[in-house]
Amino acid sequence: MAMDDPLISSFQKLLSSSSEKQKKSMLLLLTESLKNKSTTNIDFSEYASVIENFVPNSIMDSAIVAEVESMGVDLKSDKPQTRWLSLDNREYCFSNKAKLKHSPRNLSDYNNICKLMEEVNSNSSTSQDANSALVIVYNSDNSAINFHDDSEDLLDSSSSISSVTFGSTREVQFCDKSLWPRLPQHSVKCGHHDLMIMQPGCQEKLAHRVCRGSNIVKPGTPSVFGSSRRIVISFRKVKSYSSVVASSDVSDVSAKNLKTQKNPITGVSIIAGDSHTMGLDADKLGRKGRRKVINLSQGGARIPDVQKQLEQYWHSNEGSDFSVQKIFLCVGTNDIRPCRERGTRSLKSPLLYLVEHIKMMYPKASIWIQSLLPLPWQHRYTFKNVMQFNDIIYEVCKQTQCFYLDIFKDFLIYNPKYNGLRRHEIFFVDSTNIHLNKRYGLARLARRYLEIIHNTFNPLGY
């Protein structure tokens, strides 16, 4: 501020006031002057809004609390406790500060939070593309966060940030970032089951803060939260891996790889997945040099592991290997195991994120997602979850213009004893094993892959 600024002169008059009454009077004038100084033309309702009672009955409060407590948060600290949930291995840095770095936890391990993200992504008021979550726990009314913005480099600024509250009600205040001092100019109240949405552009123009609590709870709030405990699950979209590394040190590593690589691979087909495809012989699939086939599959791999397989190959081959023509994904068998009776719908978001991630790394490659095999019938949840996840694969393929590689029917046989199709045990190691045997099972699977790898016909025109 300049020395002739009215605020400075008002402050000087306040200091020189002799009586308490004069000081109070000048303090009121100074406060009013600051408010006038902080006026803005921004329409706050355009950037921040609240949907009350957003959470559906299918998502249980106790289940959310149990998942949050399993993250090892300190339930006694007055400081807000945070945990970062993501589908890849990138760390989250608050305000891009290295000392405020958070290592990721696997989002797909938290089934109820994934279900909640599905609900958020299905709401038309959001950008419908969240793929990660920041969990914030306020243990007492003293837990608060001062003015800040969520403009971290990792986040996609073209997407909304959608935060769901569980527990006590808090006031969230907003102000214009371009003005100083930062005084609240707009506020919303977020209570139990409410969804606060910050639209694209909010972080660039506004700062926000979470005020201290005042023992306010909405009617119907479960007693597990007491009068002051609050859990916020803030859903965000992180940028694709390639757009982040384009401006980071990883691009330097990729440049070094480019200089040292004498013979870049051309016409590559990549197989990434779990133990079902691990046994496929890449050399034989390529027909000894007619095509280059890379098999990255590993036993026990889940959706995030398949993403790491492809990222590692991407780094070791120029950082952005546009010579990759086809990518085959074999995922889901290890992901549906923890679902059991809960169903597999929560796995759609991780699978969608994986496909979007691959498209950014390999924009010219066609993506084929293999259906799950018929698994042993001894597990009563198996058939239901296998069919549900195969439906999810089909939905994702249709939504993202990928190819659905349906191999489920190739391993069935009509069995009159059960009045229908059953798993054909001749293809598997034994009747209780999920893996294909080498003589019949892998041979049949390999034939399907050979047809696609060496065929340039594109029935869908993608």
Side-chain angles (χ1 to χ4, degrees):
M1 293 183 185
M3 290 303 294
D4 58 349
D5 193 302
L7 292 179
I8 295 292
S9 60
S10 297
F11 187 69
Q12 290 173 339
K13 290 178 182 178
L14 174 64
L15 293 176
S16 61
S17 299
S18 55
S19 67
E20 288 296 321
K21 187 175 181 180
Q22 286 179 318
K23 287 181 179 180
K24 288 181 180 179
S25 177
M26 287 304 303
L27 185 58
L28 288 172
L29 289 173
L30 179 57
T31 302
E32 194 64 33
S33 182
L34 284 170
K35 286 182 179 179
N36 293 333
K37 189 78 173 178
S38 300
T39 56
T40 179
N41 295 322
I42 292 177
D43 181 3
F44 289 92
S45 62
E46 180 182 343
Y47 294 105
S49 59
V50 173
I51 300 176
E52 294 185 355
N53 301 315
F54 168 81
V55 179
N57 294 331
S58 59
I59 297 177
M60 305 297 291
D61 295 321
S62 57
I64 292 290
V65 171
E67 288 187 348
V68 171
E69 289 182 348
S70 72
M71 300 174 194
V73 295
D74 184 352
L75 300 178
K76 296 182 179 180
S77 174
D78 275 346
K79 293 183 179 180
Q81 305 292 300
T82 53
R83 294 294 184 269
W84 174 239
L85 311 181
S86 183
L87 297 170
D88 63 25
N89 57 357
R90 284 176 285 170
E91 296 174 319
Y92 186 87
C93 297
F94 290 105
S95 302
N96 299 315
K97 296 178 181 178
K99 66 179 181 179
L100 299 177
K101 187 179 294 184
H102 278 63
S103 298
R105 294 168 180 264
N106 191 341
L107 175 59
S108 59
D109 288 340
Y110 302 96
N111 187 58
N112 290 282
I113 294 177
C114 286
K115 284 183 180 178
L116 187 58
M117 185 167 71
E118 289 278 354
E119 293 291 335
V120 169
N121 283 340
S122 64
N123 188 283
S124 59
S125 298
T126 73
S127 55
Q128 300 182 308
D129 54 3
N131 54 25
S132 58
L134 182 67
V135 178
I136 312 169
V137 179
Y138 303 83
N139 288 318
S140 71
D141 286 333
N142 293 324
S143 301
I145 299 178
N146 211 343
F147 276 117
H148 68 287
D149 59 76
D150 298 325
S151 55
E152 287 79 12
D153 292 339
L154 186 65
L155 300 182
D156 189 332
S157 59
S158 64
S159 296
S160 59
I161 294 179
S162 307
S163 303
V164 182
T165 294
F166 292 87
S168 66
T169 301
R170 290 293 186 93
E171 183 180 14
V172 180
Q173 297 177 338
F174 295 83
C175 71
D176 186 339
K177 282 172 62 175
S178 65
L179 300 177
W180 191 263
R182 288 183 172 177
L183 297 173
Q185 298 165 302
H186 178 74
S187 67
V188 296
K189 287 190 176 181
C190 303
H192 186 59
H193 284 185
D194 292 348
L195 171 67
M196 184 184 75
I197 306 169
M198 293 187 286
Q199 299 292 354
C202 180
Q203 310 309 319
E204 287 73 27
K205 293 188 176 183
L206 305 179
H208 61 279
R209 72 179 179 186
V210 180
C211 301
R212 293 178 184 273
S214 54
N215 288 321
I216 299 176
V217 293
K218 284 173 61 175
T221 302
S223 58
V224 67
F225 297 102
S227 61
S228 58
R229 191 180 184 192
R230 177 177 186 250
I231 294 174
V232 175
I233 304 176
S234 180
F235 295 102
R236 299 142 188 250
K237 181 184 180 183
V238 298
K239 295 176 183 176
S240 63
Y241 198 84
S242 55
S243 61
V244 173
V245 301
S247 58
S248 69
D249 293 338
V250 177
S251 58
D252 298 333
V253 176
S254 301
K256 292 176 184 177
N257 290 340
L258 180 61
K259 292 177 182 178
T260 57
Q261 189 170 1
K262 296 180 180 179
N263 299 309
I265 300 170
T266 58
V268 177
S269 292
I270 299 177
I271 303 171
D274 52 34
S275 55
H276 285 306
T277 50
M278 187 173 63
L280 293 174
D281 189 317
D283 188 45
K284 290 181 179 179
L285 289 177
R287 288 180 175 161
K288 298 183 178 180
R290 290 177 59 184
R291 289 282 191 276
K292 182 67 178 179
V293 178
I294 307 292
N295 192 348
L296 307 174
S297 304
Q298 297 174 339
R302 298 168 68 180
I303 293 174
D305 302 316
V306 172
Q307 180 177 314
K308 291 177 185 177
Q309 293 169 12
L310 291 163
E311 285 176 358
Q312 289 169 1
Y313 179 81
W314 186 77
H315 280 303
S316 62
N317 290 273
E318 304 181 17
S320 54
D321 191 347
F322 297 112
S323 63
V324 175
Q325 294 179 342
K326 297 176 181 177
I327 296 175
F328 297 88
L329 302 178
C330 175
V331 293
T333 301
N334 298 300
D335 298 270
I336 68 171
R337 286 183 177 181
C339 296
R340 296 188 178 270
E341 301 294 344
R342 296 176 297 180
T344 62
R345 295 304 303 176
S346 61
L347 298 175
K348 184 177 180 180
S349 289
L351 185 60
L352 267 173
Y353 179 75
L354 173 64
V355 172
E356 292 172 356
H357 197 67
I358 294 171
K359 283 179 174 287
M360 293 301 298
M361 289 192 290
Y362 304 100
K364 294 184 178 181
S366 61
I367 301 174
W368 298 72
I369 309 179
Q370 174 188 308
S371 68
L372 296 188
L373 293 164
L375 299 182
W377 302 92
Q378 290 83 351
H379 306 287
R380 59 192 176 93
Y381 64 88
T382 294
F383 181 78
K384 172 188 169 185
N385 284 356
V386 168
M387 300 308 293
Q388 274 188 357
F389 192 74
N390 282 344
D391 288 342
I392 289 171
I393 294 175
Y394 180 80
E395 290 172 15
V396 169
C397 287
K398 189 176 179 180
Q399 185 174 338
T400 59
Q401 293 191 327
C402 294
F403 297 92
Y404 180 49
L405 178 53
D406 186 5
I407 63 166
F408 184 84
K409 63 182 183 300
D410 294 345
F411 298 90
L412 299 176
I413 188 173
Y414 180 75
N415 190 326
K417 178 181 176 182
Y418 297 101
N419 195 27
L421 294 170
R422 302 289 286 179
R423 188 175 96 142
H424 199 334
E425 302 301 344
I426 193 175
F427 297 115
F428 296 85
V429 174
D430 58 52
S431 61
T432 62
N433 202 301
I434 67 172
H435 297 105
L436 298 170
N437 59 42
K438 189 173 183 180
R439 184 175 181 181
Y440 299 108
L442 281 174
R444 173 163 286 205
L445 182 63
R447 281 195 293 272
R448 292 297 306 275
Y449 274 77
L450 278 168
E451 292 170 3
I452 300 169
I453 290 171
H454 296 275
N455 195 333
T456 58
F457 175 62
N458 183 349
L460 299 179
Y462 296 156

